Amino acid sequence: MANISISKDSPAPGRPKTTIKRRPASAEGQGFSQKLASFSIWREKFVSAIEAYQHWVEQNEPVEGENDLRIYELIESLKSDKLKIAFMGELSRGKTELLNALFFSDYKKRLLPSSAGRTTMCPTELRYDVKTGACIKLLPIETRKTGTTIAEYKQNPVQWTTLHLLKRDSAKELEAAFLEVTKTKRVHTREAEELGLYDPSNEIANRGISIVDDMIEIPCWRHAIINYPHPLLENGLVILDTPGLNSLGSEPELTLSMLPEAHAVVFVLAADTGVTVSDMEIWNNHVSCTKKEQLRERLVVLNKIDAMWDPLRTESEVNKLINKQVESTALSLKENRKIIMPVSAKAGLTAKINDDSELLAKSGINDLELCLARKILPAKYEIIRRKVVYEVSGRVEKSQQLLKAKYNGVDNQLKKLKELGGKNLDEIQEMVSIMRREKKKYEMEIKGFEITRKALTKQATVLFNDLNLKALDQLIRLTRKNMRESWTTAGLKKAIRLFFKTAMHPMGNVKKKSEDIKKSVDEICHKMHKEYGLPLIRVSALSLVPYVMDLKKLEGRAEVFRNSAAIIVTEQNTVISKFFVVMVSEARKIFDECSQHAQGWFQELASQVHNQLRVHKNIIDKGLESIRAIHEDIDTIGQQISSLEQEKANIAAQLGIVNGLLKKIQKPIE
Ligand SMILES: Nc1nc2c(ncn2[C@@H]2O[C@H](COP(=O)(O)OP(=O)(O)O)[C@@H](O)[C@H]2O)c(=O)[nH]1
Ligand SMILES: [Mg+2]
């Protein structure tokens, strides 16, 4: 293979030099690539604003005890944030051709292999991660025999075969690499059976499989990752191209994990075949089951409309026919016709290669691009805004509050000092005594709080125990045992129900316990507010609803998969046990996130109150210090006042910095 170095687990080479030119605004990816680029610029600015804030916090709000890692996590996750679009549909509907037309016509050729028959042999991810360097990673089909998920394999580079791409802009090199992804081999039926790619007892699942001399053709690879510095991929786009689904060869991971992770699913149908039974099977099991899941966009592409272009009909007659087919597709899918886009990928690609604007308009590819840009990017922005911008803003606002409290405290002290001007020494002595008493009282308060805090931490530890992964792992073992004992469809159903019910149970308990903790903290805050004039902190309640929802959605998807042909037609242990492994590993992920969220909630709560008490203590200490100095030498009063004035100015300047950071963080996308 020309220009490709094949290695198993060899280190990635340095990043190749960029030679592909960024496209002008009028060219390919119109609308979509521009929007994606400005989205990626916005995200970069957002990340650097959070980093600046984090830097400020480190210098100005030193924490005692455990460090709060939440902001670091957010920064890391934003840096590796991706926009994932999955292309689903039956074999030969033109998914790969559509990718060529939409994203890769720069190369002025058909880059991804697309031809009649099966070309995309395994789920293929197109993406770019700088750290990995340009390469193609292939997971051997034999790994299907293990209980390890693709997600787990992604953490372990040893199992993958890596093809390093040496030249960045060589279409030839890319084409050769893509061909490697489509490789197949002939194996004995026994081997195919072991891989879960063939079941001799199952006629439905075997449709389309040809056996010669007990040998079957199977894909060489189970999963492919193409890591390539294409401008769109560099800006964070991840495309998932899928093969048509053979019910036995399907990966439960696709339904339970990869597709739900996608921000948008594009379902591809072909105008010449209409909506077939197997199209409906994919639609029902993989696409429409994600319907209720918020913020996930779905689009249906009715491809190959060129089949309806007829020189013997007028343009309006042809358009009418196309519209009619769009309507009937909407009816079959029970979908709004607005999300169905009629296109011709082939004509679109040809038009782009030949710069034929008339054909391009006719192909509908531009409309589809605009639709992707309008629907998917704003939805993705909204996800980040709701999740991250909101959370970070909350933290910055708390820093603001703290600074304001500091400012008011210093201001009060200043007023007191200024009043001292005309007083005699006895009066000043009296004031020193009052302040000493105040300080003592406050120190008792802090001690009291420390005791309460210890008690609360204990309570919180009990709460985190409920969300302990060990408990979940025990449940997983038990469920696996139950399932083994009743390896039937009904048994499976019962085991799944029980699993989710038991997994969700602790979340209700945790909610109750967290309310008790919140109540205690609220009481402290109210007291501090009433007795010492500290600003009233509003403590947020712990919400586990998103995690319960995620588990419910996962249960729903598991139910759909369990009902799907992949399981009904076979009692094959490999399929069922793989399904189980993926399902529990997804549940485990959600559970873990939930537990981390609960811990973060408590940490924030405790540090918030602690910070406020510390600020107030500083103010009292400083006030007492200056008044004592004045008592010792009344002439230092001017000095003390100017030192406090200076501090006040410093705090005001800090407040200015934090206000500026908050503005940057909340700056919306242009
Ligand atoms: N007439 C026509 N054929 C197309 C179009 N898009 C794809 N095809 C053909 O359909 C076949 C399957 O395409 P491919 O992209 O491999 O389909 P996939 O299996 O869904 O990825 C190939 O022969 C393509 O040339 C189209 O818009 N019009
Ligand atoms: Mg394909």
Side-chain angles (χ1 to χ4, degrees), residues 357-607:
S357 55
E358 203 180 312
L359 184 61
L360 186 61
K362 205 174 165 193
S363 76
I365 286 291
N366 273 350
D367 296 337
L368 176 60
E369 275 170 11
L370 281 176
C371 185
L372 283 173
R374 281 205 201 113
K375 273 179 81 96
I376 299 173
L377 282 162
K380 167 74 181 168
Y381 170 70
E382 194 53 23
I383 292 175
I384 297 193
R385 207 185 59 80
R386 273 199 208 173
K387 277 196 182 154
V388 193
V389 178
Y390 188 74
E391 183 176 346
V392 177
S393 299
R395 283 179 181 241
V396 183
E397 276 157 10
K398 274 166 200 155
S399 297
Q400 266 179 334
Q401 245 182 20
L402 214 57
L403 279 174
K404 279 182 193 152
K406 235 176 177 174
Y407 185 89
N408 290 343
V410 172
D411 199 42
N412 278 340
Q413 294 292 345
L414 206 53
K415 275 185 199 137
K416 273 188 200 160
L417 285 199
K418 283 181 179 162
E419 279 166 18
L420 284 181
K423 292 194 170 147
N424 63 33
L425 220 54
D426 283 346
E427 281 171 315
I428 295 176
Q429 170 63 46
E430 176 59 22
M431 242 183 127
V432 172
S433 314
I434 292 173
M435 284 180 80
R436 279 214 176 105
R437 279 200 297 276
E438 241 177 56
K439 180 177 148 94
K440 261 210 179 107
K441 186 174 166 235
Y442 192 72
E443 273 168 357
M444 291 298 289
E445 210 74 74
I446 288 189
K447 260 191 201 144
F449 171 68
E450 276 308 318
I451 295 168
T452 320
R453 183 155 98 140
K454 276 188 190 130
L456 286 179
T457 308
K458 251 190 204 154
Q459 255 174 288
T461 313
V462 175
L463 176 151
F464 304 146
N465 260 342
D466 279 340
L467 296 174
N468 196 326
L469 278 177
K470 272 187 198 147
L472 187 74
D473 286 338
Q474 207 170 352
L475 173 65
I476 290 172
R477 277 193 296 275
L478 188 74
T479 313
R480 198 188 294 258
K481 191 170 157 277
N482 284 347
M483 277 172 53
R484 249 192 227 124
E485 280 162 12
S486 60
W487 213 241
T488 58
T489 332
L492 199 58
K493 187 172 175 171
K494 214 170 122 197
I496 293 172
R497 286 249 166 94
L498 189 66
F499 171 76
F500 279 100
K501 202 174 153 211
T502 321
M504 278 183 249
H505 181 70
M507 295 187 177
N509 277 348
V510 166
K511 178 77 191 143
K512 261 188 228 121
K513 285 180 190 160
S514 77
E515 273 158 12
D516 291 343
I517 294 179
K518 180 177 163 351
K519 214 170 132 204
S520 309
V521 175
D522 272 338
E523 274 165 17
I524 296 173
C525 291
H526 270 107
K527 188 171 174 200
M528 292 298 165
H529 175 64
K530 232 167 91 189
E531 290 191 17
Y532 300 93
L534 267 58
L536 187 60
I537 298 181
R538 249 186 302 267
V539 177
S540 52
L542 174 66
S543 167
L544 299 182
V545 175
Y547 306 96
V548 174
M549 294 298 288
D550 279 353
L551 281 176
K552 283 196 174 146
K553 280 181 207 159
L554 177 63
E555 185 178 9
R557 288 194 294 267
E559 191 63 16
V560 170
F561 189 84
R562 194 191 56 71
N563 274 323
S564 74
I567 284 197
I568 290 176
V569 297
T570 177
E571 299 259 308
Q572 240 201 4
N573 286 3
T574 48
V575 177
I576 296 177
S577 68
K578 198 178 289 161
F579 161 59
F580 179 75
V581 166
V582 175
M583 184 187 83
V584 296
S585 91
E586 283 301 302
R588 210 171 180 278
K589 234 184 334 194
I590 298 168
F591 210 78
D592 193 27
E593 276 167 20
C594 177
S595 153
Q596 302 218 2
H597 175 75
Q599 295 192 31
W601 169 81
F602 180 70
Q603 225 171 49
E604 203 192 327
L605 194 88
S607 75

Side-chain angles (χ1 to χ4, degrees), residues 96 119-120 241:
T96 308
T119 38
T120 312
D241 189 12

